[in-house]
């Protein structure tokens, strides 16, 4: 079973995106214990301080921060990363409108990019939720993903 956490800046205001994220969260619960910490937005520095405060309470968690300069991966490669960390706590960080502070990026164990294009935090959250579910489905042999 996967142990996943999301630390996200900003609430989901778009009801359609919120409904989709909730659907993927529900689906993921078959494969993972997952929680989401929503932080209020502000400037990059204040958001970064709040993110680091949450991470201080989770010192041994493997952390991937979503950032434009992060590594692009295929869905299969992402599934391999999840499989390698299975059973260990893993955390994904999504920043606000202006990205993540350099301190948060430095604290992360790795940087992950969902696209070469800039995404809103709402779209990034939806894409991450779908890819987490897809990775769990790949690793469980589900027919959800097909090449």
């Amino acid at each position: 079973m996967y142990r996943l956490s999301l630390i996200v800046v900003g609430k989901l205001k778009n009801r359609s995106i919120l409904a989709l994220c909730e659907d993927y969260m529900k689906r993921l619960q078959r494969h993972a214990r997952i929680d989401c910490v929503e932080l209020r937005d502000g400037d990059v520095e204040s958001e970064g301080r709040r993110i680091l405060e949450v991470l201080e309470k989770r010192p041994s968690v493997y952390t991937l921060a979503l950032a434009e300069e992060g590594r692009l991966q295929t869905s299969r490669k992402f599934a391999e990363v999840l499989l390698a960390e299975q059973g260990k706590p893993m955390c994904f960080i999504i920043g606000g409108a202006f990205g993540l502070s350099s301190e948060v990026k430095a604290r992360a164990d790795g940087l992950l990019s969902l696209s070469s294009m800039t995404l809103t935090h709402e779209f990034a959250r939806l894409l991450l939720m779908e890819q987490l579910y897809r990775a769990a489905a790949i690793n469980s042999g589900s027919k959800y993903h097909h090449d």
Side-chain angles (χ1 to χ4, degrees):
M1 175 141 313
Y2 305 103
R3 294 170 51 196
L4 308 173
S5 294
L6 277 67
I7 300 173
V8 299
V9 174
K11 293 189 180 286
L12 291 173
K13 296 174 183 140
N14 182 307
R15 291 178 190 212
S16 298
I17 294 175
L18 174 62
L20 289 167
C21 284
E22 288 174 344
D23 180 55
Y24 283 116
M25 180 78 82
K26 184 178 176 182
R27 292 181 194 202
L28 260 171
Q29 288 174 348
R30 291 182 227 140
H31 306 279
R33 288 193 342 238
I34 183 166
D35 69 283
C36 182
V37 176
E38 286 184 342
L39 303 173
R40 64 181 162 82
D41 53 4
D43 59 40
V44 172
E45 289 75 26
S46 65
E47 291 171 359
R49 282 192 299 275
R50 286 192 290 279
I51 291 168
L52 291 172
E53 286 172 7
V54 173
L55 287 174
E56 282 178 18
K57 298 172 186 166
R58 305 167 186 216
S60 60
V61 66
Y62 181 77
T63 305
L64 289 174
L66 275 64
E68 64 185 354
E69 68 272 24
R71 169 180 263 174
L72 286 168
Q73 294 184 332
T74 65
S75 295
R76 286 216 176 267
K77 194 66 163 166
F78 186 58
E80 290 174 16
V81 171
L82 241 60
L83 192 59
E85 297 300 318
Q86 189 170 7
K88 303 173 198 164
M90 190 171 192
C91 181
F92 297 87
I93 303 169
I94 300 175
F98 300 101
L100 294 169
S101 70
S102 56
E103 293 82 10
V104 170
K105 291 177 187 179
R107 162 58 179 84
D109 296 299
L111 301 179
L112 175 68
S113 177
L114 296 174
S115 171
S116 298
M117 297 180 176
T118 301
L119 305 170
T120 67
H121 71 89
E122 290 184 309
F123 278 126
R125 189 162 159 187
L126 175 57
L127 286 173
L128 177 62
M129 293 298 297
E130 192 280 337
Q131 286 299 302
L132 285 168
Y133 176 70
R134 182 175 297 275
I138 288 169
N139 289 338
S140 70
S142 164
K143 293 179 183 178
Y144 179 80
H145 179 81
H146 49 283
D147 291 317

